Amino acid sequence: VQLQASGGGLVQAGDSLRLSCTASGRTSGSYAMGWFRQAPGKEREFVAAISWHGEDTYLADFVKDRFTISRDNAKNTMYLQMTSLTPEDTAVYYCAVDLGENFWVTTWLHADGIDYWGRGTQVTVSS
């Protein structure tokens, strides 16, 4: 499975962005998808994840009121709608896949068992 993230860019504080992540390759089975981010000088952190059918989502506390995760399985694509962006959201955003029908929050919180990673897309928020 290959993951291509897109939609990043340079925006001002308060603006919105929508990130996309498209999976290709062996995508015939079910899989959960999610986002992580890594800011300069900081460790990678979990942002959001969504189950195969989209009925379960989990978002980090610091984005719950501002970000929305969704997916379109017909397009093998996941989205992260980000609103009210702040400079603290500046980071490289990586998408990831966890194969299978199960949706384990611990998998995403600790990036434990993630099967595939995308290359990331840069989001820069100026003040």
Side-chain angles (χ1 to χ4, degrees), residues 22 30 50 54 62 83 86 98 107 124:
T22 299
S30 57
I50 186 167
F62 55 82
T83 65
T86 73
D98 177 31
T107 295
T124 303

Side-chain angles (χ1 to χ4, degrees), residues 40-114:
K42 295 186 177 181
E43 293 188 353
R44 181 183 61 200
E45 62 183 353
F46 166 75
V47 177
I50 186 167
S51 60
W52 168 242
H53 291 294
E55 73 278 17
D56 293 315
T57 61
Y58 187 71
L59 288 89
D61 287 343
F62 55 82
V63 302
K64 272 183 180 177
D65 296 328
R66 301 184 297 122
F67 293 7
T68 303
I69 188 170
S70 62
R71 66 188 295 169
D72 182 345
N73 287 345
K75 298 180 179 179
N76 293 327
T77 300
M78 167 184 63
Y79 306 97
L80 185 68
Q81 179 67 50
M82 306 186 293
T83 65
S84 302
L85 287 163
T86 73
E88 289 68 39
D89 295 314
T90 295
V92 177
Y93 284 70
Y94 299 91
C95 56
V97 157
D98 177 31
L99 297 176
E101 291 190 5
N102 293 322
F103 183 67
W104 303 113
V105 170
T106 53
T107 295
W108 295 98
L109 279 179
H110 306 296
D112 182 14
I114 297 296

Side-chain angles (χ1 to χ4, degrees), residues 4-11 16-21 35 80 82 85 89 91-93 120-125:
Q4 181 64 54
S6 62
L10 173 62
V11 297
S16 299
L17 269 180
R18 188 177 79 158
L19 304 183
S20 300
C21 175
W35 294 95
L80 185 68
M82 306 186 293
L85 287 163
D89 295 314
V92 177
Y93 284 70
T121 184
Q122 176 71 47
V123 173
T124 303
V125 185

